[in-house]
Amino acid sequence: MVNSTAEIRQQSVSLLKNDKATITPPAQAGGSVSALKETQTVSRPAVVQGGYTAASELFSLGQEQVTRGQIAYQSLVSVGRDLQGMKKILTQMLGSSTAITQGRIDQLQRHHNHVGQALNAGRFEGDRVLNSKLEFQAKGEPKQDFTVNGLNLVRQRQQSEQLQLTIQDRGTVLLSLDATKTDRQLTQHIDRAVIPLGLRAASNENGDMVFSAGHADFQAMGQHVTISGQGHRYPAGQPNRIKLQPEPQGIEHMTLKLADGEQIRHTMRQVNQGLQQVSKGLDQLRSFQSDMDTRIGKAMPAQSSEQIDEKLQSMRNHQSFAATFQVVTAQANVHRHTAVALLKS
């Protein structure tokens, strides 16, 4: 029979209250732990401002926004291409009445449809990355403002009235337009009242109530909005189906009017406005990208090759845990317990 003896050696790491680590290396076979005990005290380096952790956080927070920006860029290029196509056809129509043919009208309609498709297809995790003004949305879903015909705080102010606003599948709210209240009080009341419908409300300088909803919610509402009153602002009796008016009127909401020269010129003005919005949207994206580059550059300053070589040489010359930990921490800002676990593995 052969007998074998195995010695169990101790390896301990103690994290003290003073934020210093005492490391006890393993004893050699046949020796004692106390005889070979070497205690090294390692002070935890301060987290360098603008170090790896800050850069990682910026990368994590900015990754989604950078992706959204790339999607927005592709959508803007597609929209701009179709608007240029529309402008070319409209210019031909304005040059001669004989140029107004059904074929060109169909081409205009196709370009216009492509614009709406490009905007709706430009999404990140279900949210559109461009609003109706072709502005880039770095996070969340773009909002769509709209007005309701007749809902004005100034008109027929001498009459108090109660209105019932209903959105299909969302419910009905009661709007009390008290003639004794100020415009600010009425606006606050309407804003609070429409929150259950997923809307917010404000008033403009003309007294019109401007509502705000997510773009997808606005599209889902469609024509499923009704309002009934007491005969002042709105007829009494059966609820009246109302048309929501987008504010501002985006290129996707444009209606092609080509019956005569004046209508064609009006359509051309809208196309030119859309091209200006494309240009502004591209400028906004460039500014956003530049800002992201600057922020990440400040948080993660470049290191010279000499600095990197010096740190690597230091690691080769000093094989103790303290030297290794200091180099790793300076490079990556790794927490102590992470470094210990890596060195033990």
Side-chain angles (χ1 to χ4, degrees):
M1 176 180 294
V2 179
N3 294 327
S4 62
T5 303
E7 179 182 3
I8 299 176
R9 292 175 292 179
Q10 180 180 4
Q11 182 175 5
S12 63
V13 177
S14 173
L15 298 181
L16 306 180
K17 293 183 179 178
N18 60 1
D19 203 24
K20 296 181 179 180
T22 301
I23 294 88
T24 304
Q28 296 180 359
S32 64
V33 173
S34 58
L36 296 176
K37 182 176 180 180
E38 176 188 357
T39 302
Q40 299 185 22
T41 302
V42 183
S43 298
R44 182 176 182 179
V47 177
V48 179
Q49 181 67 27
Y52 179 80
T53 301
S56 296
E57 184 177 357
L58 273 178
F59 278 126
S60 177
L61 294 176
Q63 183 178 13
E64 174 183 333
Q65 296 180 352
V66 170
T67 303
R68 293 172 70 99
Q70 294 171 342
I71 297 172
Y73 175 80
Q74 294 171 355
S75 297
L76 283 172
V77 170
S78 177
V79 169
R81 188 182 298 114
D82 280 302
L83 290 178
Q84 287 285 9
M86 294 177 70
K87 182 174 182 178
K88 181 179 179 180
I89 297 172
L90 290 170
T91 301
Q92 294 171 346
M93 288 182 171
L94 287 173
S96 171
S97 59
T98 59
I100 305 176
T101 64
Q102 187 60 45
R104 286 194 168 95
I105 294 175
D106 292 341
Q107 285 181 320
L108 281 172
Q109 190 62 58
R110 282 195 296 270
H111 281 305
H112 185 246
N113 291 340
H114 289 164
V115 169
Q117 292 169 5
L119 291 176
N120 284 320
R123 296 178 179 272
F124 180 83
E125 294 185 351
D127 294 336
R128 270 183 39 162
V129 296
L130 294 172
N131 64 13
S132 293
K133 294 186 289 184
L134 305 184
E135 296 172 334
F136 171 55
Q137 303 293 302
K139 60 181 180 180
E141 182 186 19
K143 298 296 182 180
Q144 175 65 61
D145 294 339
F146 63 93
T147 58
V148 175
N149 287 334
L151 191 48
N152 184 288
L153 301 181
V154 178
R155 290 180 54 191
Q156 300 188 16
R157 190 56 189 272
Q158 70 278 9
Q159 295 283 351
S160 296
E161 186 174 18
Q162 286 191 336
L163 306 178
Q164 284 189 331
L165 180 65
T166 302
I167 299 179
Q168 185 173 316
D169 299 328
R170 296 193 177 209
T172 300
V173 296
L174 184 65
L175 307 180
S176 298
L177 303 185
D178 189 343
T180 64
K181 302 292 185 181
T182 65
D183 287 356
R184 182 178 179 181
Q185 290 173 327
L186 287 174
T187 300
Q188 291 175 342
H189 161 69
I190 295 174
D191 182 41
R192 289 192 297 267
V194 298
I195 288 177
L197 299 179
L199 308 177
R200 298 305 300 265
S203 57
N204 60 20
E205 63 278 5
N206 298 323
D208 293 320
M209 290 304 305
V210 181
F211 298 91
S212 177
H215 191 273
D217 292 336
F218 176 78
Q219 289 185 317
M221 290 179 196
Q223 300 301 315
H224 305 300
V225 181
T226 59
I227 193 168
S228 60
Q230 296 174 301
H232 303 302
R233 288 175 174 83
Y234 297 94
Q238 293 295 324
N240 304 276
R241 190 177 301 275
I242 56 176
K243 183 178 181 181
L244 307 181
Q245 300 292 336
E247 296 288 342
Q249 191 83 13
I251 191 67
E252 60 185 319
H253 305 125
M254 178 181 67
T255 301
L256 297 179
K257 297 181 179 180
L258 309 168
D260 52 39
E262 183 57 37
Q263 289 190 0
I264 294 175
R265 280 188 286 271
H266 175 74
T267 303
M268 175 72 87
R269 286 192 292 270
Q270 294 184 76
V271 170
N272 287 333
Q273 182 181 7
L275 287 170
Q276 292 176 0
Q277 291 175 341
V278 169
S279 178
K280 290 180 180 179
L282 292 172
D283 289 340
Q284 181 191 12
L285 283 175
R286 294 188 189 99
S287 177
F288 166 77
Q289 182 62 54
S290 176
D291 179 64
M292 287 294 298
D293 292 343
T294 301
R295 290 167 58 193
I296 293 177
K298 289 180 178 179
M300 194 174 182
Q303 300 186 68
S304 66
S305 58
E306 290 79 8
Q307 290 174 314
I308 296 175
D309 289 340
E310 182 181 350
K311 290 179 180 179
L312 292 175
Q313 186 63 38
S314 175
M315 181 181 291
R316 285 192 292 266
N317 295 338
H318 301 85
Q319 296 300 325
S320 66
F321 172 81
T324 303
F325 175 74
Q326 288 174 352
V327 173
V328 173
T329 303
Q331 180 68 19
N333 195 18
V334 178
H335 292 295
R336 180 182 295 104
H337 63 272
T338 304
V340 170
L342 290 172
L343 290 174
K344 286 173 63 179
S345 61

